[in-house]
Amino acid sequence: GMRAMVASPIRLLLVDDHCMFLQALKLALEADGRFSIAGTADNVTQGVELVQALHPEIVVSDIQFPDG
């Protein structure tokens, strides 16, 4: 018979300088089986480094940061 294809979770990188919001977002997304959190960053520089290192499928980012 045909085997059901189980999609692997979408790998996300979360970038936000508000720690409590970042943790809440991470918990909410991890609870949803469609996503896995590849990493988190709290500034632009670290976010860019993690994109290059982890190659997430999607980056969820705040728009305004003190460092750009």
Side-chain angles (χ1 to χ4, degrees), residues 46-60:
Q46 184 183 27
V48 171
E49 289 173 358
L50 288 179
V51 166
Q52 294 169 341
L54 301 173
H55 304 287
E57 294 172 86
I58 297 176
V59 176
V60 179

Side-chain angles (χ1 to χ4, degrees), residues 6-54:
V6 178
S8 55
I10 298 168
R11 295 176 64 249
L12 304 178
L13 174 66
L14 310 180
V15 187
D16 198 298
D17 59 345
H18 297 92
C19 180
M20 291 186 68
F21 176 76
L22 186 64
Q23 292 308 314
L25 183 62
K26 180 174 187 276
L27 286 171
L29 290 169
E30 283 177 335
D32 184 316
R34 296 173 294 179
F35 304 105
S36 71
I37 309 305
T40 62
D42 61 9
N43 62 68
V44 172
T45 304
Q46 184 183 27
V48 171
E49 289 173 358
L50 288 179
V51 166
Q52 294 169 341
L54 301 173

